Amino acid sequence: MADLETIRRQVRARLREQGTLVRLLLRQREQLQGSLFPRYGLCGKPTCGCRTGRRHGPYYVLSSRSAGRGAFAYLDAGEVTRARGLLSHHREFRRGLARLRKINAELVTLLRRYQQAVIRRGGERMGISSHA
Ligand SMILES: [Zn+2]
Protein backbone atom coordinates (compact mmCIF):
# COMPACT_ATOMS: atom_id res chain seq x y z
CA MET A 1 0.00 0.00 0.00
CA ALA A 2 2.75 2.39 0.89
CA ASP A 3 4.26 2.94 -2.51
CA LEU A 4 7.80 4.19 -1.98
CA GLU A 5 7.79 6.43 -5.02
CA THR A 6 4.52 8.06 -3.93
CA ILE A 7 5.97 8.81 -0.50
CA ARG A 8 9.17 10.14 -2.02
CA ARG A 9 7.13 12.41 -4.27
CA GLN A 10 5.14 13.71 -1.30
CA VAL A 11 8.36 14.32 0.65
CA ARG A 12 9.89 16.25 -2.24
CA ALA A 13 6.76 18.42 -2.50
CA ARG A 14 6.98 19.24 1.24
CA LEU A 15 10.69 20.02 0.91
CA ARG A 16 9.97 22.42 -1.94
CA GLU A 17 7.30 24.17 0.08
CA GLN A 18 9.58 24.24 3.11
CA GLY A 19 12.40 25.80 1.08
CA THR A 20 10.15 28.41 -0.46
CA LEU A 21 8.71 29.30 2.92
CA VAL A 22 12.10 29.58 4.65
CA ARG A 23 13.50 31.76 1.86
CA LEU A 24 10.41 33.96 2.14
CA LEU A 25 10.89 34.32 5.89
CA LEU A 26 14.58 35.14 5.50
CA ARG A 27 13.76 37.88 3.03
CA GLN A 28 12.10 39.82 5.82
CA ARG A 29 14.60 42.29 7.24
CA GLU A 30 12.39 44.36 9.51
CA GLN A 31 9.37 43.75 11.64
CA LEU A 32 7.76 45.04 14.76
CA GLN A 33 6.05 43.29 17.62
CA GLY A 34 3.43 45.35 19.33
CA SER A 35 0.14 47.17 18.90
CA LEU A 36 -1.08 50.46 17.57
CA PHE A 37 -3.61 52.38 19.67
CA PRO A 38 -5.60 55.40 18.53
CA ARG A 39 -5.80 58.19 21.11
CA TYR A 40 -8.10 61.20 21.19
CA GLY A 41 -7.28 64.22 23.27
CA LEU A 42 -8.27 67.60 24.61
CA CYS A 43 -6.34 70.75 23.82
CA GLY A 44 -5.73 73.73 26.05
CA LYS A 45 -8.33 76.08 24.55
CA PRO A 46 -11.34 76.29 26.86
CA THR A 47 -13.79 77.16 24.06
CA CYS A 48 -12.61 74.47 21.62
CA GLY A 49 -15.03 71.89 20.29
CA CYS A 50 -12.99 69.13 21.89
CA ARG A 51 -14.45 70.22 25.23
CA THR A 52 -17.96 69.37 24.13
CA GLY A 53 -17.30 66.00 22.60
CA ARG A 54 -15.27 66.07 19.38
CA ARG A 55 -11.82 65.35 20.66
CA HIS A 56 -8.65 65.84 18.63
CA GLY A 57 -7.11 62.89 16.92
CA PRO A 58 -6.67 60.15 16.32
CA TYR A 59 -3.04 60.22 17.47
CA TYR A 60 -1.40 56.88 17.35
CA VAL A 61 0.54 55.32 20.13
CA LEU A 62 2.75 52.41 19.31
CA SER A 63 3.19 49.98 22.15
CA SER A 64 6.03 47.62 21.50
CA ARG A 65 8.02 44.93 23.22
CA SER A 66 10.70 45.01 20.54
CA ALA A 67 12.98 47.05 22.78
CA GLY A 68 12.83 44.48 25.57
CA ARG A 69 10.54 45.94 28.18
CA GLY A 70 7.33 47.68 27.18
CA ALA A 71 7.97 50.85 25.26
CA PHE A 72 5.74 53.53 23.80
CA ALA A 73 6.09 55.94 20.93
CA TYR A 74 3.78 58.61 19.54
CA LEU A 75 3.58 58.39 15.77
CA ASP A 76 2.75 60.88 13.08
CA ALA A 77 0.63 59.93 10.06
CA GLY A 78 3.55 58.74 7.92
CA GLU A 79 4.96 56.63 10.71
CA VAL A 80 1.57 55.03 11.32
CA THR A 81 1.58 53.59 7.79
CA ARG A 82 5.12 52.28 8.22
CA ALA A 83 4.33 50.85 11.64
CA ARG A 84 1.27 49.02 10.27
CA GLY A 85 3.49 47.47 7.61
CA LEU A 86 6.09 46.33 10.14
CA LEU A 87 3.42 44.94 12.46
CA SER A 88 1.88 42.97 9.60
CA HIS A 89 5.34 41.58 8.75
CA HIS A 90 5.45 40.22 12.26
CA ARG A 91 2.06 38.53 11.87
CA GLU A 92 3.07 37.07 8.50
CA PHE A 93 6.29 35.71 9.98
CA ARG A 94 4.38 34.06 12.80
CA ARG A 95 1.94 32.50 10.33
CA GLY A 96 4.92 31.31 8.28
CA LEU A 97 6.45 29.62 11.32
CA ALA A 98 3.15 27.89 12.07
CA ARG A 99 3.02 26.61 8.48
CA LEU A 100 6.66 25.48 8.74
CA ARG A 101 5.89 23.49 11.89
CA LYS A 102 3.02 21.79 10.06
CA ILE A 103 5.20 20.95 7.05
CA ASN A 104 7.91 19.56 9.32
CA ALA A 105 5.39 17.39 11.14
CA GLU A 106 4.09 16.12 7.79
CA LEU A 107 7.65 15.32 6.73
CA VAL A 108 8.24 13.28 9.88
CA THR A 109 4.98 11.38 9.32
CA LEU A 110 5.87 10.67 5.69
CA LEU A 111 9.39 9.54 6.58
CA ARG A 112 8.04 7.22 9.27
CA ARG A 113 5.69 5.70 6.72
CA TYR A 114 8.63 5.41 4.34
CA GLN A 115 10.69 3.67 6.99
CA GLN A 116 7.91 1.16 7.66
CA ALA A 117 7.71 0.36 3.96
CA VAL A 118 11.48 0.02 3.68
CA ILE A 119 11.60 -2.24 6.74
CA ARG A 120 9.00 -4.49 5.12
CA ARG A 121 11.15 -4.63 2.03
CA GLY A 122 14.20 -5.56 4.06
CA GLY A 123 12.20 -8.30 5.74
CA GLU A 124 11.03 -9.65 2.44
CA ARG A 125 14.59 -9.64 1.18
CA MET A 126 15.64 -11.70 4.16
CA GLY A 127 12.76 -14.11 3.76
CA ILE A 128 10.80 -12.87 6.76
CA SER A 129 7.09 -13.00 6.14
CA SER A 130 4.75 -10.84 8.19
CA HIS A 131 1.77 -12.45 9.86
CA ALA A 132 -0.53 -9.51 10.31
ZN1 LIG B 1 -9.39 71.39 21.26
Side-chain angles (χ1 to χ4, degrees):
M1 277 135 290
D3 173 27
L4 294 186
E5 186 44 40
T6 301
I7 298 174
R8 273 199 293 264
R9 204 165 48 235
Q10 289 168 336
V11 166
R12 282 194 294 267
R14 297 303 185 292
L15 287 175
R16 275 196 299 275
E17 195 186 347
Q18 187 192 52
T20 303
L21 187 55
V22 169
R23 278 191 295 276
L24 205 72
L25 292 178
L26 286 179
R27 215 173 290 154
Q28 245 199 49
R29 301 302 167 90
E30 247 184 336
Q31 58 172 265
L32 199 58
Q33 185 180 14
S35 313
L36 212 50
F37 300 102
R39 285 277 177 275
Y40 298 84
L42 302 170
C43 70
K45 286 183 270 177
T47 57
C48 182
C50 66
R51 298 281 156 181
T52 58
R54 258 193 75 88
R55 295 189 169 206
H56 299 283
Y59 306 105
Y60 284 93
V61 179
L62 174 67
S63 159
S64 178
R65 277 172 288 157
S66 297
R69 297 178 57 209
F72 290 86
Y74 292 91
L75 306 182
D76 63 37
E79 290 171 326
V80 168
T81 306
R82 202 168 51 202
R84 283 208 175 101
L86 292 176
L87 291 168
S88 82
H89 284 175
H90 182 261
R91 283 191 299 272
E92 284 162 23
F93 203 95
R94 214 171 37 199
R95 272 197 296 272
L97 287 181
R99 180 63 196 142
L100 187 60
R101 267 192 295 274
K102 197 158 176 285
I103 293 169
N104 290 344
E106 287 167 1
L107 274 171
V108 169
T109 301
L110 284 167
L111 287 171
R112 276 205 194 105
R113 212 184 299 158
Y114 190 81
Q115 187 182 29
Q116 287 310 310
V118 170
I119 285 173
R120 268 196 303 278
R121 268 199 176 178
E124 284 160 17
R125 169 80 60 146
M126 299 309 292
I128 300 168
S129 57
S130 63
H131 303 280

